[in-house]
């Protein structure tokens, strides 16, 4: 019994696969779990620049498929956090699922588990909605079951956690026996609300969403001369050109500072306006449905504002050499800390 208590006092050792710009690590920090990030892995050089800039550690930048059982055993990690490429499962993609080369590394990592001397005790997987119906998902669940894991799955959005941001994502939480979940009655289920975590009524949570203005760098409207004040002059580069408004106006998702919902920002935001994320009206019209789009002085959300909606901490920043478009692309592949943090807290909670 004393030995078990000693093990509980030791920090969990985490491996962060497909680490991106650090959303998973920020989530683990916010979750307040007793854990140490042993290593992170990502093949994207620019994402690793951002990760290193904010955490002072550069992720392993080799191909994950080259990792051997001996390599992973050397880390002595008991928790794996994985956010594999989503392109094989997106609606806009070819939906090749496990036949897509970008899915190979994820399946290979899972297939290594039975070969390990020190297999992980817990896994956390994040991906796009659609992954749950893929053959990759079927293979993942099969491998986990064969290796004595129990799972609980979720599809959740920041909207359910008080953030005015519609970004539903799939999550799989897995624990290897004899570990068990705090609410084992949800084992083997796919849930669409955060009830097992801490929220009793999903609808009430949605009603408490903060307005978008709480996440903005600048809230003030443009002046009568059509430009921002000196203080906000840097925002002029975020204005949506009139030719784009004329061509794509009917397809734009337009929100206001007092709105309590905006659409998911994709990696193509700022490059394209159709289906890549919401645009902000900088002038509040008296009658919204009778105001021309030109009069709204539309602008893009800034990278800092997108980071805020992803619930990244205020100290998060991009290195100076990362361009504006690159910042949006990196954020488009990131996750919501507001959603992942409570999921991780729940994953690390002991069984009741």
């Amino acid at each position: 019994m004393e030995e078990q208590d000693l093990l509980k006092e030791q920090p969990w050792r985490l491996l962060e696969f497909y680490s991106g710009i650090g959303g998973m690590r920020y989530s683990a920090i916010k979750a307040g779990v007793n854990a140490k990030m042993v290593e992170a892995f990502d093949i994207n050089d620019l994402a690793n620049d951002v990760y290193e800039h904010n955490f002072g550690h550069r992720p392993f930048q080799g191909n994950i498929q080259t990792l051997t059982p001996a390599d992973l055993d050397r880390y002595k990690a008991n928790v794996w956090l994985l956010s594999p490429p989503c392109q094989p499962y997106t609606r806009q993609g070819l939906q090749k699922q496990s036949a897509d080369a970008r899915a190979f590394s994820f399946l290979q990592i899972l297939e290594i588990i039975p070969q390990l001397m020190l297999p992980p005790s817990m896994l956390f997987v994040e991906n796009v909605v659609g992954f749950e119906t893929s053959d990759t998902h079927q293979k993942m669940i099969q491998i986990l079951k064969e290796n004595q894991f129990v799972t609980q799955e979720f599809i959740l959005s920041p909207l359910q956690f008080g953030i005015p941001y519609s970004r539903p994502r799939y999550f799989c939480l897995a624990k290897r026996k004899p570990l068990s979940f705090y609410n084992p009655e949800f084992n083997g289920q796919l849930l669409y609300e955060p009830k097992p975590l801490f929220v009793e009524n999903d609808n009430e949570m949605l009603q408490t969403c903060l307005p978008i203005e709480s996440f903005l760098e600048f809230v003030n409207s443009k002046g009568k001369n059509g430009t921002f004040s000196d203080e906000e002059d840097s925002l002029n580069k975020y204005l949506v050109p009139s030719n784009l408004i004329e061509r794509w106006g009917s397809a734009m998702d337009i929100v206001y500072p007092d709105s309590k919902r905006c659409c998911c920002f994709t990696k193509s935001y700022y490059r394209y306006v159709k289906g890549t994320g919401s645009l902000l009206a900088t002038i509040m019209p008296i009658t919204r449905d009778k105001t021309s789009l030109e009069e709204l002085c539309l602008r893009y959300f800034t990278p800092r504002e997108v980071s805020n909606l992803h619930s990244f901490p205020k100290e998060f920043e991009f290195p100076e050499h990362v361009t504006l478009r690159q910042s949006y692309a990196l954020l488009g592949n990131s996750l919501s800390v507001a959603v992942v943090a409570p999921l991780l807290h729940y994953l690390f909670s002991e069984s009741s």
Side-chain angles (χ1 to χ4, degrees):
M1 191 69 179
E2 292 180 0
E3 183 178 354
Q4 290 180 353
D5 291 339
L6 182 62
L7 287 173
K8 289 180 181 179
E9 293 176 2
Q10 297 297 319
W12 293 95
R13 295 174 62 84
L14 278 56
L15 289 182
E16 185 182 9
F17 296 94
Y18 316 98
S19 51
I21 59 177
M24 197 76 79
R25 184 162 182 170
Y26 279 130
S27 298
I29 294 171
K30 185 173 182 179
V33 297
N34 182 22
K36 176 183 179 182
M37 197 68 73
V38 180
E39 186 56 280
F41 305 86
D42 203 289
I43 202 169
N44 187 308
D45 186 58
L46 198 62
N48 289 340
D49 286 347
V50 179
Y51 192 105
E52 183 178 17
H53 180 79
N54 286 281
F55 296 108
H57 172 78
R58 190 170 188 85
F60 175 85
Q61 198 167 317
N63 189 334
I64 291 177
Q65 290 177 255
T66 65
L67 294 172
T68 66
D71 292 331
L72 293 174
D73 274 331
R74 275 193 287 270
Y75 291 113
K76 298 179 180 179
N78 39 30
V79 181
W80 290 3
L81 310 176
L82 307 102
S83 184
C86 64
Q87 292 89 343
Y89 320 105
T90 58
R91 288 175 298 176
Q92 294 87 353
L94 298 176
Q95 297 183 332
K96 296 172 68 176
Q97 304 181 26
S98 64
D100 192 309
R102 290 166 290 191
F104 293 171
S105 63
F106 175 61
L107 288 172
Q108 183 168 322
I109 285 292
L110 294 179
E111 290 168 353
I112 283 179
I113 292 176
Q115 306 172 44
L116 297 173
M117 296 292 293
L118 300 170
S121 298
M122 294 188 288
L123 272 78
F124 180 91
V125 180
E126 180 266 354
N127 215 285
V128 294
V129 174
F131 177 86
E132 75 283 1
T133 61
S134 69
D135 60 348
T136 305
H137 172 267
Q138 293 176 350
K139 293 178 181 180
M140 177 190 74
I141 295 298
Q142 179 182 349
I143 292 171
L144 292 176
K145 285 183 178 179
E146 290 173 352
N147 289 277
Q148 303 303 305
F149 282 89
V150 291
T151 62
Q152 293 187 9
E153 301 171 276
F154 298 83
I155 289 180
L156 300 173
S157 171
L159 288 169
Q160 296 165 288
F161 296 82
I163 309 298
Y165 185 34
S166 178
R167 191 182 178 87
R169 286 295 183 269
Y170 164 86
F171 304 95
C172 176
L173 285 61
K175 286 189 172 186
R176 186 163 56 85
K177 299 174 183 178
L179 294 181
S180 58
F181 284 99
Y182 187 82
N183 294 312
E185 64 269 26
F186 298 110
N187 287 354
Q189 294 188 33
L190 174 61
L191 306 173
Y192 292 84
E193 59 179 31
K195 184 177 180 179
L197 308 181
F198 56 79
V199 181
E200 294 186 0
N201 192 314
D202 179 26
N203 292 326
E204 288 182 3
M205 197 64 179
L206 180 57
Q207 292 172 8
T208 62
C209 273
L210 294 169
I212 286 174
E213 63 185 354
S214 302
F215 299 82
L216 301 179
E217 285 189 89
F218 303 101
V219 183
N220 295 340
S221 301
K222 289 177 60 176
K224 293 181 180 179
N225 61 354
T227 61
F228 290 104
S229 64
D230 292 339
E231 181 185 15
E232 301 174 348
D233 186 59
S234 61
L235 282 180
N236 280 316
K237 62 184 175 183
Y238 298 105
L239 289 174
V240 181
S242 57
N243 64 313
L244 291 182
I245 295 175
E246 183 177 347
R247 182 177 181 182
W248 299 108
S250 61
M252 293 176 175
D253 181 75
I254 299 168
V255 297
Y256 301 84
D258 62 353
S259 298
K260 293 189 176 182
R261 183 189 186 103
C262 66
C263 290
C264 176
F265 299 102
T266 74
K267 64 181 182 179
S268 296
Y269 191 65
Y270 196 74
R271 292 177 57 205
Y272 306 101
V273 295
K274 182 181 178 181
T276 62
S278 298
L279 299 171
L280 181 70
T282 61
I283 288 181
M284 295 282 283
I286 298 176
T287 307
R288 296 183 182 181
D289 58 349
K290 295 183 179 181
T291 303
S292 71
L293 297 184
E294 288 282 358
E295 294 175 345
L296 296 178
C297 297
L298 301 177
R299 73 165 174 88
Y300 296 94
F301 283 76
T302 70
R304 178 66 259 176
E305 291 166 346
V306 177
S307 301
N308 292 343
L309 288 163
H310 278 86
S311 301
F312 275 45
K314 293 181 179 180
E315 59 268 22
F316 169 79
E317 62 181 13
F318 288 97
E320 290 185 1
H321 70 275
V322 178
T323 68
L324 191 60
R325 288 190 176 185
Q326 289 172 337
S327 298
Y328 286 121
L330 291 168
L331 285 166
N333 287 326
S334 192
L335 48 77
S336 169
V337 174
V339 178
V340 176
L343 283 167
L344 288 178
H345 186 273
Y346 174 67
L347 176 66
F348 283 87
S349 298
E350 298 177 22
S351 59
S352 55

